[in-house]
Amino acid sequence: MSKEKKTNAARLLDREGVSYELIPYLVDEHDLSAAHVAASLGEDVKSVFKTIVLRGDKQGCLVCVVPGDSEVDLKRAAKASGNKKVDPLPLKELLPLTGYIRGGCSPIGMKKHFPTYFDASAEEQPFIYVSAGVRGLQLKVAPADLLRCCAAVYAPLTPDEHDS
């Protein structure tokens, strides 16, 4: 692999002594989905996690990291974060608030730290992929290491197949 330019997220992992890999992929501006990223990496979409920023009615902004084949369950995210209700952050607020753009939002290295929650399914994975902070570059990292660096906790954040 060619020497990739280090992102802020990668530098923060370096500072914490976390082992990771930077994995580049070809960006499709018309398809920023986790499914596209997973296909580009040749990985299962369940191991490619997307970072979603929400705003709660009581606690303010929070970050949810969920598998690429799932959506964040807003009721579960609200419960995990101590809110009655949460809503996705309007796209126009993402860059000013986090320093990241859609398709390049990493759970680590935001302008400000927000309470962060990883879907409990991450705990079962030996490693996961998350954005390195720019489109076209993913971090491959052990979820426990990333969780520690993000000061995050595991929580059920995706719809339960038994819910209807």
Side-chain angles (χ1 to χ4, degrees), residues 51-69:
T51 304
I52 315 255
V53 182
L54 305 173
R55 180 173 285 129
D57 62 340
K58 296 183 181 310
Q59 309 293 339
C61 289
L62 61 135
V63 177
C64 291
V65 183
V66 299
D69 64 343

Side-chain angles (χ1 to χ4, degrees), residues 26-49:
L26 194 58
V27 177
D28 179 348
E29 295 292 335
H30 302 291
D31 185 0
L32 298 174
S33 71
H36 169 75
V37 174
S40 298
L41 299 173
E43 292 289 344
D44 186 338
V45 71
K46 290 179 184 335
S47 67
V48 176
F49 280 62

